[in-house]
């Protein structure tokens, strides 16, 4: 895993601001896919997701609110240790 990819995955895991995606190797497809959806959660995606979970919404309800796949919400909750 190269340094750039590792840094991007660390940003996703930390819930920090996510940079715009750029074209990269095919192996980054999943990271770009997640990055696009993380950006949908706003400037502080981890805090945003934590707030919706604290309100008692399910992964499906949160996904519908943000118009994104339920699997992304579940994956981000797992990565960020939310629940």
């Amino acid at each position: 895993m190269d340094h750039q990819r590792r840094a991007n995955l660390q940003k996703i895991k930390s819930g920090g601001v996510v940079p715009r995606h750029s074209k990269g190797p095919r192996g980054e497809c999943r990271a770009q896919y997640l990055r696009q959806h993380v950006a949908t959660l706003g400037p502080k995606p981890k805090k945003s997701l934590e707030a919706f979970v604290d309100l008692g919404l399910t992964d499906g309800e949160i996904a519908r609110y943000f118009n994104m796949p339920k699997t992304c919400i579940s994956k981000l909750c797992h990565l960020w240790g939310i629940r």
Side-chain angles (χ1 to χ4, degrees), residues 2 4-5 8 22 24-33 35:
D2 66 352
Q4 180 66 26
R5 184 172 176 200
N8 288 337
S22 61
R26 283 173 81 62
E28 284 193 19
C29 182
R30 288 185 188 163
Q32 287 179 357
Y33 177 73
R35 247 183 279 149

Side-chain angles (χ1 to χ4, degrees), residues 55-70:
L55 289 171
L57 275 70
T58 65
D59 290 354
E61 292 169 330
I62 297 168
R64 278 191 300 277
Y65 181 83
F66 286 105
N67 193 27
M68 55 195 289
K70 179 184 170 196

Side-chain angles (χ1 to χ4, degrees), residues 19-48:
R20 289 184 169 183
H21 69 283
S22 61
K23 293 182 180 179
R26 283 173 81 62
E28 284 193 19
C29 182
R30 288 185 188 163
Q32 287 179 357
Y33 177 73
L34 269 180
R35 247 183 279 149
Q36 290 171 339
H37 292 297
V38 169
T40 304
L41 296 172
K44 296 191 178 192
K46 184 176 179 183
K47 294 285 185 189
S48 177

Side-chain angles (χ1 to χ4, degrees), residues 63-83:
R64 278 191 300 277
Y65 181 83
F66 286 105
N67 193 27
M68 55 195 289
K70 179 184 170 196
T71 55
C72 284
I73 298 296
S74 301
K75 180 73 171 175
L76 291 171
C77 284
H78 176 73
L79 285 171
W80 292 336
I82 300 173
R83 294 268 182 227

